[in-house]
Amino acid sequence: GLGIKINCLRRYVHEEVDDDDVVVFVDAFNVMVFGGRDEILHRFHDLERVWKRSLVFNADEACFPDKDGVCDDYPDSTTRWRFLNSGLIA
């Protein structure tokens, strides 16, 4: 399932990436990148500074796939972006 790509990414980062490198994983199914390298790094470092975290996932307004009540377990959000999505991980 969907955990395979996250586990592969985790293994790659642990084995191949230096601590000060930034990795952006995009599954490319429905993701468009409009910024260049410098803008992406700047925005990532801004998020890292504000949230004091070095791992960022994107989020969606809708939950997919909505199977077996899994979407009911998500906590409420103060924004419209309630549902975790693994289509982009930085």
Side-chain angles (χ1 to χ4, degrees), residues 3-74:
I4 291 172
K5 67 181 171 182
I6 294 171
N7 288 326
C8 289
L9 176 62
R10 180 180 177 273
R11 189 172 320 119
Y12 171 77
V13 167
H14 282 281
E15 294 174 3
E16 305 291 335
V17 178
D18 292 330
D19 286 344
D20 58 345
D21 288 344
V22 174
V23 175
V24 178
F25 172 86
V26 182
D27 71 8
F29 176 72
N30 60 354
V31 176
M32 294 183 284
V33 178
F34 292 105
R37 179 185 183 274
D38 291 340
E39 181 179 355
I40 291 168
L41 285 172
H42 177 75
R43 289 177 182 248
F44 173 78
H45 289 301
D46 282 349
L47 286 169
E48 190 177 40
R49 186 175 51 257
V50 168
W51 295 103
K52 297 176 179 45
R53 301 287 187 270
S54 295
L55 182 63
V56 177
F57 286 81
N58 69 318
D60 280 331
E61 293 179 82
C63 183
F64 180 82
D66 190 1
K67 290 183 171 182
D68 303 322
V70 68
C71 298
D72 300 333
D73 293 334
Y74 276 83

